[in-house]
Amino acid sequence: MNLADTEIVLGILQNYGYSVTKEPEHADVVLLNTCSIRENAEQRIYGRLGNIKTLKNDNPNLVIGILGCMAERLRKDLIDKKKMVDLVVGPDEYRRLPELIDTAIGGEKGIGVRLSRTETYDDIIPYREDGLMAWISVMRGCDKFCTFCVVPFTRGRERSRSLSSVVKEVEQLSQRGFKEVSLLGQNVNSYFDGSNDFADLLAACAEVDRSMRIRFTTSHPQDLSDKLLYTIAAHPNICNYIHLPVQSGSNRILKLMNRTYTIEYYLNLIDKARKIIPGVSFSTDIIAGFPTETYEDHLMTLEVMREVKYDGVYMFKYSPREKTKAYDMGDDVPDEIKTKRLQEIIELQQQISYQINQDLIGKEEVILIEGFSRKSDNFLSGRTDTNKVVIIPLSDLKAGDYAKVKINRATHATLFGEFIEKVTYDKKSALTT
Ligand code: SAM
Ligand code: SF4
């Protein structure tokens, strides 16, 4: 989401005459787009700011700014107390950036941290370099108020872009040769533009170009509708992959988290999705060490992982965030216990991923070639629609091609295969040739 926001910011600044430099030493303005979701994300930014500030030795007029959630949360600390930056601009005030940069150039602090109920940057064309994959932010904010989460405070209330503006952006990306689009929102399933819901949006995006893969994230279990599941099943180019954060396997903890579903509801939903979309895979987010979490609660989380068999898990140690309800519950699980539980979650997931990948040996998959493998130019790397990385020997395939491959070997993180044949999709009809 921050990558997508950065592209919006660059789009706004480009319209005002700025251009991008990859070298911080050549920059007149350095902006750090920040995340507040966990304490360590914020600590990293303080470290980065320390380094960037040294650029002022050679260029005293350099404007340094903080964008995003930290700007919203820590304006006073950054500007008044630590005097680290010239500019703080929250996620809903990017349109004012050119004016606020001018203020900072004039020697005053540029501050824009108001949250909006309407801003969606609908009309801004994000700055994107040519490539295969693009992010499109389709809604902003979140109304869920999970008790651990700072997002509703730093990014404000939910609001959605119009379907037509998103579809137009997908059309432009298709014309530029992009092959994959990820639709983004903190809870994409509550997308509603006044007449269209998320399933409508997904279908409309899928219809733009059948040779383009459509992904989306994140789905809240409570709002994943049957209509959405049937829409995914009906469109071959909507990837069979759902990121469905569970957070915990214990109903007691889910209640304390205000996640608004029980584990039974969640597991039923997974079953239903598997019936409607054969072969669908799931990933999830899990928090270890939420306030009052006992070893029994933790075992329930491991049990859910064994039952669902996720393709991937994003795993986090609970990090208390000011303003949230969980902050007032204390942080009573000691750090070494959180670390141990997290380690158990990681190890279990590695075993599960290994087993899922072993079961794919001998099977055929269609992958989108992304380029050379990270480790060697003698191999190509691509992804299945379930988001698994597959490495195949070099051939005359190029980035952006689809290929049918046979899987021969697997680790917990990567599949290794051989090329069978090239696959081409008819842009309009989804037929393969
Ligand atoms: N909107 C998405 C959802 O509901 O699942 C996720 C948004 S959040 C940016 C991504 C993940 O960060 C969450 O699913 C949660 O697992 C994790 N997270 C959020 N707040 C956290 C906290 N205070 N401590 C640890 N992990 C946290
Ligand atoms: Fe945070 Fe919950 Fe909203 Fe996700 S759904 S962004 S975890 S409040």
Side-chain angles (χ1 to χ4, degrees):
M1 186 151 282
N2 267 4
L3 285 176
D5 271 8
T6 298
E7 291 173 345
I8 289 170
V9 164
L10 293 177
I12 292 169
L13 291 179
Q14 204 178 29
N15 284 343
Y16 199 72
Y18 284 95
S19 59
V20 178
T21 170
K22 299 245 185 268
E23 314 298 331
E25 307 79 50
H26 298 164
D28 300 309
V29 182
V30 176
L31 303 171
L32 297 182
N33 196 357
T34 61
C35 172
S36 291
I37 198 83
R38 284 168 292 277
E39 173 78 22
N40 57 0
E42 290 185 350
Q43 288 313 324
R44 278 213 302 273
I45 290 293
Y46 279 117
R48 282 289 271 295
L49 269 180
N51 293 338
I52 287 169
K53 254 193 111 173
T54 60
L55 296 173
K56 283 215 182 201
N57 298 337
D58 291 332
N59 179 5
N61 296 326
L62 178 71
V63 171
I64 301 177
I66 285 286
L67 310 181
C69 291
M70 260 177 95
E72 215 54 63
R73 228 177 74 72
L74 295 170
R75 168 173 66 114
K76 284 210 174 68
D77 193 51
L78 288 161
I79 287 219
D80 302 337
K81 258 183 40 212
K82 298 216 171 74
K83 301 197 189 320
M84 289 184 105
V85 295
D86 310 297
L87 194 71
V88 284
V89 186
D92 288 347
E93 295 255 54
Y94 295 149
R95 276 179 208 275
R96 288 182 59 216
L97 254 173
E99 162 206 330
L100 293 168
I101 292 175
D102 286 347
T103 307
I105 290 171
E108 284 176 45
K109 300 294 180 195
I111 302 175
V113 289
R114 263 195 320 234
L115 289 171
S116 156
R117 284 184 177 262
T118 52
E119 179 61 272
T120 59
Y121 302 109
D122 221 11
D123 56 319
I124 302 289
I125 300 175
Y127 168 91
R128 290 194 182 96
E129 294 183 353
D130 287 334
L132 290 181
M133 288 161 222
W135 309 99
I136 301 184
S137 199
V138 300
M139 60 171 299
R140 301 181 73 84
C142 184
D143 290 350
K144 287 276 181 243
F145 287 93
C146 302
T147 57
F148 51 80
C149 185
V150 79
V151 167
F153 304 98
T154 57
R155 300 187 78 98
R157 298 285 71 74
E158 277 174 11
R159 65 228 105 110
S160 301
R161 288 176 58 176
S162 64
L163 178 141
S164 59
S165 80
V166 177
V167 167
K168 202 164 118 203
E169 209 171 319
V170 177
E171 283 166 357
Q172 286 164 352
L173 290 167
S174 159
Q175 278 154 17
R176 281 179 63 185
F178 280 80
K179 288 286 169 209
E180 192 173 295
V181 165
S182 287
L183 306 183
L184 300 179
Q186 292 299 345
N187 176 16
V188 282
N189 303 143
S190 34
Y191 173 92
F192 189 63
D193 74 349
S195 26
N196 302 289
D197 63 15
F198 187 63
D200 300 326
L201 178 73
L202 207 51
C205 290
E207 278 157 20
V208 169
D209 176 352
R210 295 299 191 177
S211 71
M212 210 172 184
R213 283 179 171 176
I214 310 290
R215 298 187 185 279
F216 59 95
T217 196
T218 294
S219 296
H220 190 289
Q222 202 200 12
D223 300 333
L224 186 71
S225 67
D226 290 5
K227 179 177 171 189
L228 182 62
L229 295 175
Y230 283 109
T231 303
I232 300 171
H235 295 266
N237 59 326
I238 301 178
C239 292
N240 287 347
Y241 179 91
I242 304 178
H243 183 61
L244 199 63
V246 66
Q247 313 296 0
S248 167
S250 153
N251 280 336
R252 188 182 69 83
I253 295 292
L254 287 175
K255 193 146 191 246
L256 285 176
M257 287 176 162
N258 189 33
R259 284 296 286 183
T260 66
Y261 52 83
T262 61
I263 212 63
E264 292 74 23
Y265 175 90
Y266 182 92
L267 292 173
N268 268 334
L269 186 60
I270 296 256
D271 272 354
K272 184 162 64 176
R274 284 190 164 138
K275 284 194 187 107
I276 296 174
I277 316 166
V280 64
S281 68
F282 290 94
S283 61
T284 201
D285 293 347
I286 290 176
I287 297 178
F290 185 81
T292 77
E293 186 189 71
T294 62
Y295 188 61
E296 284 67 36
D297 293 319
H298 167 63
L299 289 182
M300 292 181 208
T301 300
L302 299 182
E303 198 43 45
V304 169
M305 291 172 67
R306 283 192 200 97
E307 198 155 337
V308 176
K309 295 196 174 57
Y310 294 105
D311 273 68
V313 180
Y314 299 87
M315 309 161 252
F316 312 104
K317 277 200 269 186
Y318 170 69
S319 168
R321 310 276 62 207
E322 262 171 308
K323 279 198 186 171
T324 62
K325 280 210 169 135
Y327 190 80
D328 300 331
M329 298 177 198
D331 183 17
D332 60 348
V333 180
D335 192 59
E336 63 270 22
I337 303 270
K338 284 185 194 167
T339 306
K340 195 161 170 281
R341 290 182 189 167
L342 188 70
Q343 197 50 39
E344 286 179 19
I345 292 169
I346 293 171
E347 279 165 19
L348 174 59
Q349 184 52 36
Q350 284 184 351
Q351 290 165 21
I352 292 171
S353 297
Y354 180 77
Q355 201 46 58
I356 292 177
N357 286 354
Q358 289 297 309
D359 291 347
L360 287 172
I361 291 177
K363 303 239 163 73
E364 290 180 359
E365 295 279 339
V366 173
I367 62 172
L368 171 62
I369 303 291
E370 293 178 355
F372 293 121
S373 100
R374 256 191 307 166
K375 292 200 179 141
S376 160
D377 286 359
N378 292 323
F379 292 87
L380 293 171
S381 170
R383 264 171 216 271
T384 65
D385 89 329
T386 53
N387 218 13
K388 289 181 176 300
V389 175
V390 184
I391 306 294
I392 58 169
L394 192 63
S395 61
D396 53 9
L397 290 167
K398 55 182 191 323
D401 287 342
Y402 287 97
K404 191 187 279 179
V405 298
K406 185 169 161 225
I407 308 301
N408 295 327
R409 190 162 71 78
T411 66
H412 73 88
T414 314
L415 301 168
F416 299 86
E418 65 188 87
F419 170 64
I420 298 178
E421 63 185 358
K422 205 165 154 176
V423 178
T424 45
Y425 293 95
D426 184 326
K427 275 194 173 192
K428 284 294 153 213
S429 72
L431 289 177
T432 52
T433 50

